[in-house]
Amino acid sequence: MKPFSLNAMALAVACAYPLTTLADDATLEPVVVTAPAMKAPLEVSFDPRAPQQPLPATDGASLLKAIPGMSVIRKGGTDGDPLFRGMAASRLNILLDGEQILGGCGMRMDPPTAYVFPDSYNQVTLLKGPQSVVHGPGASAGTVLFERKAPSFDKPGYQVDGALTVGSFGRHDELIDVKAGNPTAYVQGILTHAESDNYQDGDGTEVHSRYQRSSATAIVGWTPDRNTRLEFSSIHSAGEAAYADRGMDGVKFDRSNYGLKFEKKHLGGLVDAVDAQVYYNYVDHVMDNYSLRRFMPTAMMANPSVSNPDRKTTGGRVALTLVPGERTQVIAGLDQQSNTHTVRSSMNATAMPYEAKPRTDDAAFRNLGLFAEATHELSDSRRLVMGLRADRWKAEDRRQTLAVGMMSMPNPTRGQTREETLPSGFARYEWDHAGGGTAYVGVGHARRAPDYWELIAKESTGSLSAFDSLKPEKTTQLDVGSTWKQGAWEASVSGFVSRVDDYVLIQTAYAKPAMGGMTRTTTVARNIKATTYGAEAGVNHAFNAAWKGLASLAWVRGQNDTDDRPLGQMPPLEARFGLDWTQGRWTAGSLLRVVAAQTRYALNQGNIVGQDLGPTSGYSVFSINGSYRWNDSARVTFGIDNLFDRTYAEAISRGGAMVAGYDRILRVNEPGRTFWVKAQFTLK
């Protein structure tokens, strides 16, 4: 794939734009996102197009890392897996413009956030804990919403938004977003491109991590009146990425998506609004050990090898907003999702190209959910929020055989089907402070069905297949917290305690009997009992009109109650401190990230994304940024991440693999000192 490039286009439009000056006495808010705060109960929201420090790779996971309590498992330069409070994958429900999209790779090269191009969205929202039921099944740790704002025109017009980012290690990203319309219709086109060479850590060691990513989005909308919208969208993206944590790279990440939405608001009766959408998504993924790296034959892999999984997902949702009383609002509806996974591969790509082989179905999933969520105002300052959900989940194991080392064995669960009804619900009490802010206390329960990577990609302790033995997770969680605002102070705190029955634990290096009285080690999925608890806190203070300080803290602990040991993949205590300055057209800022040592770990235990590798030492990283804005339509932001060129790796990280021509390290280290500049403009 040769991705398109927008460098020349973005620079030409930016240079041609006639800039107007900003008044000398005008003041501007800082434009760099460093630690977005919780503004409403259990909700963190920010603009993904705002520059961010540390400068993220252009995927959704690195964007989310700015949120306190969020971690990312690094595998290379892009496509990391996000975790919130140590919970990953299907425990963290991720929706792209209302659609639940799943990747194809059985080794998690392409989590849902790998198909997120942040500049093509307008808002990112994290909903903490099992405290909402309207955004799909699971969500025991939380829900992440990547959302676009529909264009609106009071008269015929257009708008062009553009951005160009350049940085160290050959990094450059481009965005062009063009909208045009009138009061009754609109069109929108978005092109994004991003690429980077291999980065270096603080010691100057090169990490196998280069990537390139491109996307094209087309949207057509019909708005016969202010309260009605019908919208069709088409999204196509492609990419490739080198990985430092495994023996293969992702040489193809193709996605095709089509969606149709209908929205009708302010109907004025019992049914006040109707929202409906349907979508189709197809992911075609290829990984091999020769396209992006030098092939090195081994005893286990003597020839160039390739695997080509794909996944086809269809889904839809209908929700009604009901107003049964003056102080009561109910959102009720249903959602559905079906997906089929296939794979084809070749252990000798030279002699037997994978393209010539037929695809083989290995699994199919279906989920139908019914939900209702009500908000009842007890008074002007107190409210009760409640929700119930029931999901009918079905999974089918279509694998004929299973690979055991170099051998192929019959699948003991071939053709089996599982069906479960999974109830979820929550209740939360909120009350507003007299001075400003809201406090809350809530209890939620979520049942999560095991996902593809747990049921299909893993063994059980007593069988070659985990399909028939793995139970759904049952999470019960207490959430408490508050937001607070008083004068120049703004603060928030959120805490939780969670009990998880039948937690799905992934364990590597598990010994099992083999032929001839021998033993072998493999990766298994098994159910345990677990307890997790933790908190996030943040405070912002405006010292005066020019200076503003911020601080945040995130802490989480997990316990494997069955094995009486720490729960794997729990991040250590982390604090962030920032100081921002704003004066007229200029802003400047700094970010100090301090991470404690992690001595609580469970070697070889974790989740489908990664397992604990051992203890880690603490570290601190300091970054600075600045910006200049000519007017409301043009600005440039610049920064230096990891100013002192520290060499470090996150506690939650994948282990380094043997890659020809690169030094092997215990963990995939983070980038060293990184310089970057981002220019943005708007034409209307």
Side-chain angles (χ1 to χ4, degrees):
M1 178 204 72
K2 183 175 178 59
F4 49 82
S5 178
L6 306 178
N7 299 55
M9 186 191 313
L11 286 173
V13 175
C15 292
Y17 180 56
L19 300 175
T20 58
T21 59
L22 189 73
D24 289 338
D25 58 350
T27 59
L28 298 170
E29 290 296 321
V31 297
V32 176
V33 178
T34 55
M38 188 175 70
K39 301 288 187 178
L42 297 160
E43 182 176 313
V44 178
S45 183
F46 65 97
D47 179 3
R49 293 190 176 185
Q52 181 183 343
Q53 192 165 54
L55 181 69
T58 52
D59 68 335
S62 293
L63 184 75
L64 293 172
K65 195 174 180 179
I67 300 175
M70 192 73 72
S71 308
V72 174
I73 294 183
R74 182 173 289 281
K75 311 165 190 176
T78 188
D79 298 346
D81 247 294
L83 300 86
F84 181 59
R85 294 170 170 172
M87 298 292 138
S90 55
R91 298 182 179 106
L92 185 63
N93 203 8
I94 295 174
L95 276 71
L96 313 186
D97 218 16
E99 302 177 5
Q100 191 175 44
I101 305 302
L102 301 172
C105 180
M107 295 299 293
R108 296 291 291 189
M109 277 189 181
D110 63 336
T113 48
Y115 298 99
V116 170
F117 294 77
D119 277 350
S120 66
Y121 293 89
N122 302 109
Q123 180 170 287
V124 176
T125 302
L126 167 67
L127 306 176
K128 300 182 179 185
Q131 287 287 312
S132 180
V133 296
V134 301
H135 299 294
S140 53
T143 299
V144 178
L145 308 175
F146 292 89
E147 298 175 300
R148 291 188 181 90
K149 182 180 179 181
S152 179
F153 294 91
D154 294 328
K155 59 183 180 180
Y158 71 92
Q159 180 173 323
V160 180
D161 294 293
L164 171 64
T165 302
V166 294
S168 301
F169 315 118
R171 168 76 180 270
H172 62 89
D173 306 348
E174 298 85 43
L175 161 76
I176 289 290
D177 180 0
V178 181
K179 312 178 189 73
N182 58 36
T184 60
Y186 61 86
V187 295
Q188 182 176 12
I190 307 172
L191 299 178
T192 72
H193 172 74
E195 65 179 89
S196 176
D197 298 331
N198 294 332
Y199 68 78
Q200 295 178 358
D201 65 16
D203 289 331
T205 302
E206 188 173 359
V207 178
H208 186 58
S209 57
R210 66 187 186 272
Y211 63 86
Q212 55 181 5
R213 296 158 45 86
S214 302
S215 74
T217 302
I219 300 172
V220 178
W222 178 53
T223 53
D225 57 61
R226 290 180 176 271
N227 299 321
T228 307
R229 177 169 65 105
L230 180 64
E231 180 183 277
F232 172 77
S233 62
S234 175
I235 304 170
H236 299 272
S237 63
E240 62 182 29
Y243 290 92
D245 70 317
R246 61 194 68 197
M248 285 186 168
D249 301 309
V251 299
K252 181 179 180 181
F253 295 93
D254 283 4
R255 176 194 175 201
S256 297
N257 175 270
Y258 302 94
L260 185 66
K261 288 184 176 182
F262 174 75
E263 178 184 276
K264 185 72 174 179
K265 301 184 297 183
H266 305 305
L267 294 174
L270 172 63
V271 179
D272 189 58
V274 178
D275 290 283
Q277 71 178 117
V278 293
Y279 61 91
Y280 165 89
N281 191 80
Y282 177 68
V283 167
D284 188 11
H285 170 54
V286 177
M287 49 186 159
D288 69 33
N289 61 357
Y290 54 86
S291 295
L292 300 181
R293 66 177 68 192
R294 187 169 78 249
F295 173 66
M296 296 292 290
T298 65
M300 294 293 293
M301 199 169 288
N303 300 297
S305 301
V306 60
S307 181
N308 178 208
D310 73 350
R311 192 186 298 269
K312 183 184 297 181
T313 305
T314 58
R317 180 180 186 269
V318 177
L320 305 178
T321 301
L322 310 175
V323 186
E326 184 177 339
R327 290 184 173 269
T328 304
Q329 176 182 282
V330 179
I331 299 176
L334 60 88
D335 51 41
Q336 189 274 338
Q337 187 231 71
S338 300
N339 71 86
T340 303
H341 189 274
T342 78
V343 67
R344 57 184 177 182
S345 59
S346 174
M347 297 298 289
N348 189 341
T350 304
M352 297 176 289
Y354 76 92
E355 297 93 337
K357 292 193 169 188
R359 292 189 179 275
T360 302
D361 288 7
D362 61 357
F365 295 85
R366 186 179 67 196
N367 192 89
L368 176 64
L370 300 175
F371 58 84
E373 186 168 306
T375 301
H376 178 66
E377 299 287 344
L378 300 171
S379 69
D380 291 341
S381 60
R382 297 179 298 117
R383 68 198 62 87
L384 185 63
V385 187
M386 301 175 292
L388 291 174
R389 181 180 179 93
D391 288 286
R392 186 61 178 173
W393 169 78
K394 181 179 180 181
E396 182 181 352
D397 187 352
R398 297 180 177 178
R399 297 170 295 170
Q400 304 289 320
T401 60
L402 301 176
V404 181
M406 301 299 292
M407 300 178 62
S408 181
M409 304 289 289
N411 177 16
T413 56
R414 170 187 172 184
Q416 289 190 17
T417 297
R418 289 185 55 177
E419 290 190 78
E420 302 263 3
T421 298
L422 305 172
S424 301
F426 75 95
R428 184 172 71 252
Y429 176 64
E430 301 177 359
W431 64 99
D432 299 332
H433 302 306
T438 303
Y440 64 88
V441 57
V443 176
H445 178 82
R447 297 199 180 185
R448 182 188 69 89
D451 58 34
Y452 171 89
W453 296 269
E454 296 162 336
L455 279 182
I456 303 297
K458 301 294 182 290
E459 299 183 25
S460 70
T461 57
S463 170
L464 294 178
S465 173
F467 185 83
D468 60 346
S469 60
L470 213 54
K471 300 176 183 177
E473 282 184 355
K474 307 171 186 65
T475 300
T476 303
Q477 182 166 308
L478 172 68
D479 283 282
V480 296
S482 180
T483 63
W484 179 75
K485 189 172 184 179
Q486 186 72 44
W489 291 92
E490 187 175 358
S492 66
V493 62
S494 58
F496 75 99
V497 178
S498 179
R499 171 69 176 182
V500 188
D501 292 318
D502 295 318
Y503 179 93
V504 179
L505 181 76
I506 306 299
Q507 184 169 340
T508 59
Y510 188 87
K512 297 182 71 173
M515 296 179 62
M518 306 290 286
T519 60
R520 64 184 178 91
T521 57
T522 188
T523 301
V524 300
R526 62 187 180 96
N527 293 115
I528 63 167
K529 291 185 177 182
T531 302
T532 63
Y533 50 94
E536 301 89 39
V539 60
N540 297 339
H541 177 62
F543 300 102
N544 52 42
W547 292 93
K548 181 179 181 180
L550 66 89
S552 70
L553 190 71
W555 172 74
V556 64
R557 279 210 171 185
Q559 182 70 20
N560 177 342
D561 298 319
T562 298
D563 299 340
D564 193 23
R565 63 185 304 188
L567 189 65
Q569 295 289 276
M570 292 287 113
L573 175 69
E574 177 178 329
R576 301 182 192 186
F577 304 94
L579 185 63
D580 296 327
W581 170 82
T582 303
Q583 188 66 47
R585 309 173 196 182
W586 292 93
T587 72
S590 61
L591 172 65
L592 174 63
R593 182 168 173 253
V594 182
V595 180
Q598 180 58 289
T599 57
R600 287 175 50 86
Y601 65 93
L603 190 65
N604 298 326
Q605 292 189 354
N607 50 50
I608 62 173
V609 184
Q611 290 74 45
D612 282 1
L613 303 174
T616 59
S617 58
Y619 58 86
S620 60
V621 182
F622 185 67
S623 304
I624 58 175
N625 65 76
S627 74
Y628 179 80
R629 179 177 291 196
W630 283 272
N631 60 11
D632 289 340
S633 300
R635 72 186 181 198
V636 61
T637 314
F638 43 88
I640 307 174
D641 298 343
N642 192 0
L643 180 65
F644 299 112
D645 210 17
R646 291 289 304 273
T647 300
Y648 70 103
E650 304 286 356
I652 304 296
S653 175
R654 295 276 297 182
M658 288 292 295
V659 181
Y662 297 85
D663 295 336
R664 185 173 186 178
I665 49 181
L666 175 62
R667 289 180 172 84
V668 181
N669 284 339
E670 296 295 306
R673 185 185 297 117
T674 303
F675 298 86
W676 57 269
V677 179
K678 182 170 186 175
Q680 296 169 277
F681 67 88
T682 298
L683 297 171
K684 293 184 179 180

